[in-house]
Amino acid sequence: MPQKKLSGIEVAQHNTRGSCWIIVHGNVYDVTDFLDDHPGGSKIILKYAGKDATQEYDPIHPPDAITTNLPPEKHLGPVEPDTVEKVEIVITDDEKARQERMSNRPPLDEILNLHDFEAIAKQVMTDKAWAYYSSAADDEITNRENHAAYHRIWFRPKILIDVTEVDWSTTILGHKSSMPIYITATALGKLGHPDGELTLTRAAAKNGVIQMIPTLASCSFDEIVSAAEPGQVQFLQLYVNKDRAITQRIVQHAEEQGIKGLFITVDAPQLGRREKDMRMKFTDEDPSEVKQAGTGSVDRSQGAARAISSFIDPGLKWADLDWFKSITKMPLILKGVQRWEDALKAYDLGLAGVVLSNHGGRQLDFARSGIEVLVEVVSKFKEIRGITFPNEKFQLFVDGGVRRATDVLKAVALGATAVGIGRPFLYAFSAYGTEGADKALKILNDEFEMNMRLLGAPTIKDVTPDMVDISNISSHIAAIPGDRLYDSNYESMQHAKLREVKSKM
Amino acid sequence: MPQKKLSGIEVAQHNTRGSCWIIVHGNVYDVTDFLDDHPGGSKIILKYAGKDATQEYDPIHPPDAITTNLPPEKHLGPVEPDTVEKVEIVITDDEKARQERMSNRPPLDEILNLHDFEAIAKQVMTDKAWAYYSSAADDEITNRENHAAYHRIWFRPKILIDVTEVDWSTTILGHKSSMPIYITATALGKLGHPDGELTLTRAAAKNGVIQMIPTLASCSFDEIVSAAEPGQVQFLQLYVNKDRAITQRIVQHAEEQGIKGLFITVDAPQLGRREKDMRMKFTDEDPSEVKQAGTGSVDRSQGAARAISSFIDPGLKWADLDWFKSITKMPLILKGVQRWEDALKAYDLGLAGVVLSNHGGRQLDFARSGIEVLVEVVSKFKEIRGITFPNEKFQLFVDGGVRRATDVLKAVALGATAVGIGRPFLYAFSAYGTEGADKALKILNDEFEMNMRLLGAPTIKDVTPDMVDISNISSHIAAIPGDRLYDSNYESMQHAKLREVKSKM
Amino acid sequence: MPQKKLSGIEVAQHNTRGSCWIIVHGNVYDVTDFLDDHPGGSKIILKYAGKDATQEYDPIHPPDAITTNLPPEKHLGPVEPDTVEKVEIVITDDEKARQERMSNRPPLDEILNLHDFEAIAKQVMTDKAWAYYSSAADDEITNRENHAAYHRIWFRPKILIDVTEVDWSTTILGHKSSMPIYITATALGKLGHPDGELTLTRAAAKNGVIQMIPTLASCSFDEIVSAAEPGQVQFLQLYVNKDRAITQRIVQHAEEQGIKGLFITVDAPQLGRREKDMRMKFTDEDPSEVKQAGTGSVDRSQGAARAISSFIDPGLKWADLDWFKSITKMPLILKGVQRWEDALKAYDLGLAGVVLSNHGGRQLDFARSGIEVLVEVVSKFKEIRGITFPNEKFQLFVDGGVRRATDVLKAVALGATAVGIGRPFLYAFSAYGTEGADKALKILNDEFEMNMRLLGAPTIKDVTPDMVDISNISSHIAAIPGDRLYDSNYESMQHAKLREVKSKM
Amino acid sequence: MPQKKLSGIEVAQHNTRGSCWIIVHGNVYDVTDFLDDHPGGSKIILKYAGKDATQEYDPIHPPDAITTNLPPEKHLGPVEPDTVEKVEIVITDDEKARQERMSNRPPLDEILNLHDFEAIAKQVMTDKAWAYYSSAADDEITNRENHAAYHRIWFRPKILIDVTEVDWSTTILGHKSSMPIYITATALGKLGHPDGELTLTRAAAKNGVIQMIPTLASCSFDEIVSAAEPGQVQFLQLYVNKDRAITQRIVQHAEEQGIKGLFITVDAPQLGRREKDMRMKFTDEDPSEVKQAGTGSVDRSQGAARAISSFIDPGLKWADLDWFKSITKMPLILKGVQRWEDALKAYDLGLAGVVLSNHGGRQLDFARSGIEVLVEVVSKFKEIRGITFPNEKFQLFVDGGVRRATDVLKAVALGATAVGIGRPFLYAFSAYGTEGADKALKILNDEFEMNMRLLGAPTIKDVTPDMVDISNISSHIAAIPGDRLYDSNYESMQHAKLREVKSKM
């Protein structure tokens, strides 16, 4: 029975802390009691008290966040659209400057590598989006180590191999991929671009790679699946809900929709402290408000990450995996394995594989990089079970820190089936939308062609362990502190100089 | 028999190098002969010649310093309070600017980690206080190495452990602690805040952690003990006096007052040269004065540390420990052990434990970090005595360089019972008083909760050696000097750029 | 039968994208259909549509590039010289500033080392030439590692050896060389100086060293050979053409002309992505043009390197080496060997030697340095074949990263016969022409004399493996990421300061 | 028979390149034919053509340089003093600024460590003197490595040792020294201070340490010996002359004068290229002059070092040592040994010891530091001859890079009898004369007292090998090149900030 629609005029009167209604997607909600529980703080809600908050709500919340979190009696029903006052969007000077930078982006042809997307995105994204995407745990050591670890691996290329034709396609969980990579799951795509994760779906289709759909997508799961081309392969990344019924519904729905692999996140029983993201919060808060609320029980300074993840079950355990096997036939992969002992457990439980990952450095700082753990896992599996990789039955993936096809080929040489790439695609679509994501894949493709030739590897099977020198993979060297007095006394050597000091630089 | 009180008028006449009296805490002292022996220089005393020096005296001297150091005949007796001229405190421009910075501190909610306290404290403390707290020995290599060493230890976290409930409380010398840390002893608390060490006593009570009271506190021992809540556990750090009777009095008094552990400092037979602190001295000296005195036998450029520590006995030796056992039943712990051989001696003597520490890098530069020595000690005890850690009978502690709960958990994984934290609390209370110290503990608490979950460790007992990779702990790498000519010729790679160079940064 | 000459007036009418003729070296070519295939982009050609493009063409193309790449029917024949409109060269402000810098070069006497040439060249070369010479693959890690690797090798010099006379001459493939180096092959010499590779031929003659002539020289092979002094030894570097008939012609012509060694490049089945060079491209393109062409199939952003190298055969393989043996008696050396397995294959095939090289870091990023591979090769040959180096029968060469005679002597101590030096000579002649190249060799000569004495080595034979410490040669250490919060809190120590802060610096 | 004195008027007429006379120390010399042979260039001589050059001559030449280098017939005899035109010294603006800086030196009390002297000296010395003292070979890698190597050695101090009395005196070649150091030989002391090496003689006397007199002192040997206190011990550093008669005269004269040890320099058959020193040359040259002379055979760009050292014999060899034994009974020590094999030869020849040194990094770049060679030597002597150190019969010394008493104590722990310190004393007397040198020794003395206590070592004998961790001594780590694109994208973490950004820094 259709509800009677509420009038925008009435809604507009509930615009105080004492009675606070908001409109989202044409429905009215009474959030008065929720104000202090809002992980993003009350101020941002109060700004829209009595008004339409959809535009603010959309990029940061999963579509069903409000209906899930508010008790049904607070769902006051639909509003009459033409009675709602338009929320005037005030464009700040900062935002104007940002939009000007956006219009000054260099043409895509000038983007030569994945680093370039990040350099442009950093300048054209909103501060909030940049903070959420780029931030990582604690001192962000692991975040950067993920990339640095690849720099401790060096190549031993072969020569005089006929590389007229080179083929870097592979199969992942039995599905063809044009490259040994996949687009891994990352949350809140709409923060970077209005089309959110759909940009990735489209670019993946064009380039024959697999997309892993995130639980915390800004677009709904069904939207993302619908955007796929016929036959396009997609995986699903899963945060397990404390309410297993919800999880079961998600998993079975995904399987029905043709999802080909279920990647269960196991490195995030609680989402990490990401301080860049947390600091960003304060610019959105009224300081006096913050202080008043200081006595309350809600920690409101947790940034976007914590705001959207309270449903995740910290009680998820090994014993739960049998239940997953019972509710789905999709291959099960653990995402976030960080030691060989746990990879071996997954293998012994008959899972389809593991992703050696530390969640992009966003969870436990000083967790080792996936590529380093890969070396450990392959070595121990060989020693204990006599198993070698790559292996169809149990596949190893890594993610984190990848920027070049050479990074990927190092992982492949060491036994990985494929490598997940996340942030670079976020930066690509944040700066250039679908075309950016497409270009990112094309750049990787070009790099693969080049590097397969230079390695002397006609196919992915020819990229073998003897092609890499990993003797330094576990060297976690922190140089001892410098001698500042000695060093500042040292006068640096100088080059010969032009007669007139009108140098180019 | 009460002395006749002296008149302030009379005192005021002794205001020259030839006859110099000062008033401290309402008593008059003749310091004429002491001028050249004052470790802090004569100028600072002469500034108060004939006047009340209490305000200057208080933060830098232990309460009984003047009575201890001046012979009784120089104690001229009490002064009539209302005859004493008020010392007018001139507020310099620098001090005004400092106070303005103080009033611009961000609210505590914006302090996200222990580093933040230091960043704020550096700006709102007096230069003298900052110099004394932050300085360390020689080139401050060990001081920084203490922190750097933790960065050579990496985690091997477990997944799929039920971490719904995590508990990081522990027991230290048989006493409950809410976290595996304690507030270690640091001197001269009033330099940073008028309430000095009491801020720590109060914060410790609120958060269920143990405070170690320093011998060189600005507040008196009795004040600090009295400030404790009923049942609150406190330890005592002891500098051993050349006059053992004094030491015996201190120790037995402490035991009577309920102190639960005696930490005897063994790494400071002489207090270290701390050059930042020493340099600060010169701004307080009249250069001409310095030059005149250059011929004298007193080295007046030793900073606060040396000024307050001449009583410490450099003759303290292993054989003295029996005497300590004879005068107290408190558990005895050596603070400042720096090699396994000495830890083993302590064990064989039946002591209760050792603190592997280098005095925050303030004593011998190039001493190794406590965490590195911990690895050595645990390994050798296993090899030689078959003992493993943590161990109730003989407990290992480390201190120095800790800034994150992850640092603490690394030490715990390696066998430490708990970790001492010092400077971060100094910075916390210097910037925000008791609330700052409280917030520092709450931040650690939050970090422990997060990291116990991410490690997959429901309790402290589950934080085990296999959870850390310590293969690089002893890598004291000083990169060889750079090739300045080659490096300055190298033209760094550039990212793609916005069309108009109006970048955000 | 001589063709009728075309009139410049007629040519000038074909000045559009629809019909585009250009004049090169007095001949007219119809390049209309070639515009979109031009690896350097269409814009640069269109700029000269209907005009004489020789001046633009010369420095960047091998002399026969246009005749080879255009089908014969597009060769329209010679033009009447005096009917051709002179192309007016507009000198930009940038170019004027560059020429002024050129005239302000310091006198050669002030050039003290090879670094100096690079510092001057960087300022006086055109941006395009600098980009082409200095650029390397991907993130240019290998490029810089080539130099850095030498810094991990340290000397163990001998004392009290009579070094009144020291002699650092040697023989390379049986030919006398005044030093254990040779000038290795590098492309496009005219980018740096109008005399191109001839500057090197002349300097080599003066100093008794051997020049390796590049396939991609700006001067023709015959010019370079003709410029040699009687008896002057030259080698040839060969890129193998897909059309082996062309290769056979080149090789046999070289042998006839007296070339003494054939260095077949094996590390470049496809020329590397050199992003500095690629970025330079865009400044030469009309952005709108770039965008329009974006849909075409030609990737126009590949820089000079790719523009000139499409003929290279990626199908070259081990089996082809017999064919080379059948067409020439010159010693065959593989240039670009990067693992001991391939060096051993070359040895077993009876070749004369290998150059352990990664093409100056311009091909596969993260390939190891030649000097590191040398250690591996020497060790494995000893282990597997019992062979030691230096060895007349099979000679080892390295190149890449050399800037000092000490670098060369390290390679010699480890078993290299000689070391190839490339970029430093490019910079020397770009800044100072033939005199610069000559001075570069004289500097090396001076350094050799000095260092032979200081090593205690009267002759090259006395430079032995025990004179170097190579224990760190394989340490590919990437320091773990820094703790930015901790480090920025640390207040650096300060020196004593002048009373008035009017410091010299 | 006394020569007739020449008139200054006559001398003044020989003021051209065609006929050039100069006056030095009251004698006239015809240097016309010597102009092009002057290692310091002709311009500096021509500036004084016909004039008194004494003031310019003195600081840079050994007293007898001119009489030794000019043939007797060019010695024209004494000049009538009052006929000589006074050379007006023009004080440049730079020199005025320098003298002002000199007058602003901080008082000596503010000098806290040896680094401070260098910081002040750098500002108050002439550029020429600074360049000569501070410069080192090639890229100055070894120069800085000498210091860096000490940073790879860490302490393992003992606790609970009675260190009320500590004694760091020792004996060197049988002679008492108040500390385990000596002042090593360095050339051209008058460049830094008019009293030159005499400042060191006096400071050594006051502090009970031994001075090693350099062959290339600015003061004459006899002056330096005469300045010694009765009983003061001095050693002599010897550059061996090609003319052994001269060397014999020097050695036997030294022995007669009571010199207690002869340190024969063996690491300098030719003096190193020191480019900072060489570059300084050009500011003293007329550029046009330099260009003209470019064709001549004299390399005039060699700086002060080469200018004064052409007499050194590069033919000195092991066999010559017997001759030395035959001409003197002084203990013979080789200075500049750089590998254990040579130390062992010296031992087997019955010499008194060796200095493990690389000449302050001024000779062969990439020679290892003395402290690293010490570890090798001690280990090999133990292994091959069963000898341990310190050893009365054969003493080991090291020099280079020492700035702290802790550096010295590391060397002592490893087996060195004493450590030579050079540049720090040069900087001390350049900035503060004799008082500076004295203060430098007093600082070291203070540091020794402190560090003996902190090490738990009552005497030098108690400073034992187990007190140092040398596991990283041979780690010559050059970090691999950084990823500039990745790193510049990384946005550094930020601390909490004051509300108003009016920070202290």
Side-chain angles (χ1 to χ4, degrees), chain B residues 256-482:
Chain B
E256 282 158 26
Q257 295 296 312
I259 294 298
K260 302 298 187 211
L262 186 68
F263 289 70
I264 304 170
T265 294
V266 292
D267 57 9
Q270 175 177 357
L271 283 203
R273 299 177 89 251
R274 299 158 194 177
E275 299 186 358
K276 273 178 192 161
D277 190 29
M278 289 160 78
R279 277 199 210 286
M280 190 51 52
K281 256 300 293 309
F282 295 108
T283 64
D284 290 338
E285 293 288 334
D286 172 0
S288 65
E289 175 80 12
V290 171
K291 282 199 160 169
Q292 282 175 33
T295 49
S297 62
V298 181
D299 184 354
R300 292 147 68 253
S301 57
Q302 301 291 308
R306 304 286 281 277
I308 56 176
S309 64
S310 49
F311 69 89
I312 299 175
D313 184 6
L316 187 69
K317 54 193 179 302
W318 286 104
D320 294 326
L321 293 175
D322 281 340
W323 176 77
F324 279 98
K325 288 195 222 168
S326 77
I327 64 165
T328 183
K329 292 206 157 54
M330 288 187 286
L332 298 178
I333 298 96
L334 301 184
K335 178 168 178 293
V337 171
Q338 297 174 73
R339 39 156 56 200
W340 69 264
E341 297 91 332
D342 287 342
L344 196 60
K345 273 191 197 168
Y347 173 81
D348 289 342
L349 283 170
L351 304 189
V354 291
V355 185
L356 306 170
S357 165
N358 51 41
H359 214 111
R362 290 161 83 89
Q363 292 294 106
L364 179 65
D365 209 13
F366 287 97
R368 298 172 303 163
S369 64
I371 189 76
E372 181 179 347
V373 177
L374 176 65
V375 171
E376 176 186 284
V377 167
V378 169
S379 156
K380 284 291 184 178
F381 270 63
K382 183 81 198 297
E383 180 190 326
I384 297 177
R385 292 281 186 278
I387 298 168
T388 59
F389 294 94
N391 189 297
E392 278 302 300
K393 199 185 141 208
F394 187 76
Q395 305 197 353
L396 300 180
F397 305 96
V398 298
D399 68 30
V402 165
R403 291 296 181 276
R404 294 276 186 189
T406 48
D407 298 335
V408 177
L409 290 170
K410 289 170 181 177
V412 167
L414 291 168
T417 293
V419 170
I421 301 180
R423 283 192 188 90
F425 291 116
L426 294 178
Y427 298 135
F429 76 62
S430 294
Y432 293 92
T434 301
E435 288 201 339
D438 177 52
K439 174 76 176 182
L441 286 163
K442 294 219 167 352
I443 286 171
L444 286 170
N445 213 52
D446 273 7
E447 289 189 357
F448 275 115
E449 179 184 13
M450 168 72 70
N451 290 314
M452 294 292 284
R453 287 222 170 92
L454 297 183
L455 274 176
T459 75
I460 282 293
K461 281 190 182 13
D462 300 307
V463 181
T464 48
D466 63 296
M467 281 183 165
V468 284
D469 174 347
I470 53 166
S471 47
N472 294 103
I473 187 66
S474 296
S475 299
H476 303 126
I477 300 296
I480 59 159

Side-chain angles (χ1 to χ4, degrees), chain C residues 398-466:
Chain C
V398 298
D399 69 30
V402 166
R403 291 296 180 276
R404 294 276 186 190
T406 48
D407 298 334
V408 177
L409 290 170
K410 289 170 181 177
V412 167
L414 291 168
T417 294
V419 169
I421 301 180
R423 282 191 188 92
F425 291 116
L426 293 178
Y427 298 134
F429 75 63
S430 295
Y432 294 93
T434 300
E435 288 199 337
D438 177 52
K439 174 76 176 181
L441 286 162
K442 294 219 168 353
I443 286 172
L444 286 170
N445 213 53
D446 273 8
E447 290 188 357
F448 275 115
E449 179 184 11
M450 168 72 69
N451 291 315
M452 293 292 284
R453 288 223 169 89
L454 297 183
L455 273 177
T459 75
I460 282 294
K461 281 192 183 8
D462 300 307
V463 181
T464 47
D466 63 297

Side-chain angles (χ1 to χ4, degrees), chain A residues 115 118-119 122 130 138-140 144 147 151 276 279 480 483 486 488-491 493-494 496, chain D residues 115 118-119 122 130 138-140 144 147 151 276 279 480 483 485-486 488-491 493-494 496:
Chain A
H115 299 296
E118 187 167 350
K122 196 173 172 180
W130 169 257
D138 279 13
D139 296 303
E140 304 192 344
R144 288 172 281 156
H147 184 68
H151 284 232
K276 273 180 193 161
R279 277 199 211 286
I480 60 158
D483 187 342
Y486 182 88
S488 63
N489 271 335
Y490 179 69
E491 185 180 346
M493 301 194 68
Q494 302 290 328
Chain D
H115 299 295
E118 186 167 351
K122 196 174 172 179
W130 169 257
D138 279 14
D139 297 303
E140 304 191 344
R144 288 172 281 156
H147 184 68
H151 285 232
K276 272 179 193 161
R279 276 198 211 286
I480 60 158
D483 187 342
L485 294 179
Y486 181 87
S488 63
N489 272 335
Y490 179 69
E491 185 179 346
M493 301 195 70
Q494 302 291 328

Side-chain angles (χ1 to χ4, degrees), chain D residues 259-318:
Chain D
I259 295 298
K260 301 298 188 210
L262 187 67
F263 288 70
I264 305 170
T265 294
V266 294
D267 57 8
Q270 175 176 356
L271 283 202
R273 299 178 89 250
R274 298 159 194 177
E275 298 187 358
K276 272 179 193 161
D277 190 29
M278 289 161 77
R279 276 198 211 286
M280 190 49 54
K281 256 303 292 309
F282 295 108
T283 64
D284 290 338
E285 294 288 332
D286 172 359
S288 64
E289 175 79 12
V290 171
K291 282 200 159 169
Q292 284 174 32
T295 49
S297 60
V298 181
D299 184 356
R300 291 148 68 254
S301 57
Q302 300 292 308
R306 304 286 282 277
I308 56 175
S309 65
S310 50
F311 69 89
I312 299 175
D313 185 6
L316 187 69
K317 53 193 180 302
W318 287 104

Side-chain angles (χ1 to χ4, degrees), chain D residues 288-472:
Chain D
S288 64
E289 175 79 12
V290 171
K291 282 200 159 169
Q292 284 174 32
T295 49
S297 60
V298 181
D299 184 356
R300 291 148 68 254
S301 57
Q302 300 292 308
R306 304 286 282 277
I308 56 175
S309 65
S310 50
F311 69 89
I312 299 175
D313 185 6
L316 187 69
K317 53 193 180 302
W318 287 104
D320 294 327
L321 294 175
D322 281 340
W323 176 77
F324 280 99
K325 288 195 223 166
S326 78
I327 64 166
T328 183
K329 292 206 156 52
M330 288 187 286
L332 298 178
I333 298 96
L334 301 184
K335 178 167 178 292
V337 171
Q338 297 173 72
R339 38 154 58 198
W340 68 264
E341 297 90 332
D342 288 341
L344 196 60
K345 272 191 198 169
Y347 172 81
D348 288 342
L349 284 170
L351 304 190
V354 291
V355 186
L356 306 171
S357 164
N358 51 42
H359 214 111
R362 290 161 83 90
Q363 292 294 105
L364 179 65
D365 209 12
F366 287 97
R368 298 172 301 164
S369 65
I371 189 76
E372 181 179 347
V373 177
L374 176 64
V375 172
E376 176 186 284
V377 166
V378 169
S379 156
K380 284 292 183 178
F381 270 63
K382 182 83 199 298
E383 180 190 326
I384 297 177
R385 293 278 187 279
I387 299 168
T388 59
F389 293 94
N391 190 296
E392 278 301 302
K393 200 185 140 206
F394 187 76
Q395 304 196 353
L396 301 180
F397 306 96
V398 298
D399 68 31
V402 165
R403 292 295 181 276
R404 293 275 187 191
T406 47
D407 298 335
V408 176
L409 290 170
K410 288 171 181 177
V412 167
L414 291 168
T417 293
V419 169
I421 301 181
R423 282 192 187 92
F425 291 116
L426 294 179
Y427 298 134
F429 75 62
S430 295
Y432 295 93
T434 300
E435 288 200 338
D438 177 52
K439 173 77 175 181
L441 286 163
K442 295 220 167 351
I443 286 172
L444 285 170
N445 212 53
D446 273 7
E447 290 188 357
F448 275 115
E449 180 184 13
M450 167 72 70
N451 290 314
M452 294 292 284
R453 287 223 169 90
L454 297 183
L455 273 177
T459 75
I460 282 294
K461 282 190 183 9
D462 300 307
V463 181
T464 48
D466 63 296
M467 281 183 165
V468 285
D469 174 348
I470 54 165
S471 49
N472 294 103

